[in-house]
Amino acid sequence: MYEFKEEYVTGIEQIDEEHKRLFEIADETYNLSRKEFLVDKYDQVIQILKELKEYATMHFEHEEAYMESIGYKKMFTQKVQHNAFCEKLNSWNLYDIDENSEEIVDEILNFLTNWLVSHILEHDKQIGM
């Protein structure tokens, strides 16, 4: 369902490869949302959030280092958005996940979908120009 498409290519190989992995994580989240008969998704949700936090942090460090290396003028805006992404991931608390794992999976998926598409198309693609 979720795949990295040509329209998301920035032309910066490392960033594009890392974006592909973020799409894979979104796809894993989608697949989890489709598991109707898995009532308790707590462990899987925790694992997805953990991986997203770790991977996104690493990706943002790489992306920001690249922007700094080329003197990218909109780097501050990117950093603000990266921080907002991480804050959102941290906003889901363990109690909510335990009590409402199905809803949380949908929230994560919607958040990832909106953020990945809009951020890559509106902001990251400009880095490679």
Side-chain angles (χ1 to χ4, degrees):
M1 172 71 184
Y2 286 82
E3 64 182 88
F4 185 81
K5 298 177 183 174
E6 188 66 30
E7 65 192 276
Y8 303 120
V9 171
T10 65
I12 306 158
E13 187 175 347
Q14 180 180 14
I15 291 174
D16 289 336
E17 288 303 314
E18 291 175 2
H19 285 165
K20 286 178 187 177
R21 179 63 192 135
L22 290 170
F23 274 87
E24 288 169 3
I25 296 170
D27 195 53
E28 292 166 16
T29 306
Y30 172 76
N31 290 334
L32 179 61
S33 75
R34 306 297 298 159
K35 292 183 178 178
E36 299 173 20
F37 301 110
L38 181 60
V39 179
D40 184 6
K41 297 179 180 179
Y42 178 84
D43 291 337
Q44 291 88 346
V45 173
I46 295 299
Q47 182 59 38
I48 286 170
L49 286 174
K50 180 179 184 252
E51 184 174 5
L52 266 174
K53 288 175 190 179
E54 291 172 1
Y55 197 82
T57 299
M58 183 260 325
H59 167 64
F60 294 153
E61 287 172 3
H62 292 165
E63 198 171 84
E64 290 169 12
Y66 178 80
M67 288 186 286
E68 189 171 338
S69 76
I70 64 167
Y72 187 63
K73 292 179 178 25
K74 296 180 181 178
M75 187 168 148
F76 178 76
T77 301
Q78 286 273 25
K79 281 187 168 192
V80 168
Q81 292 174 352
H82 294 167
N83 288 338
F85 181 92
C86 293
E87 286 176 17
K88 180 62 178 176
L89 292 180
N90 289 324
S91 73
W92 284 294
N93 69 52
L94 298 180
Y95 175 77
D96 287 341
I97 294 169
D98 193 31
E99 295 296 314
N100 305 303
S101 63
E102 193 68 42
E103 291 84 7
I104 298 296
V105 169
D106 289 341
E107 284 181 35
I108 294 169
L109 193 55
N110 287 332
F111 170 68
L112 280 175
T113 302
N114 293 331
W115 200 89
L116 281 174
V117 171
S118 68
H119 185 77
I120 291 172
L121 290 177
E122 295 172 20
H123 301 282
D124 288 352
K125 284 193 68 127
Q126 293 180 17
I127 300 169
M129 297 179 148

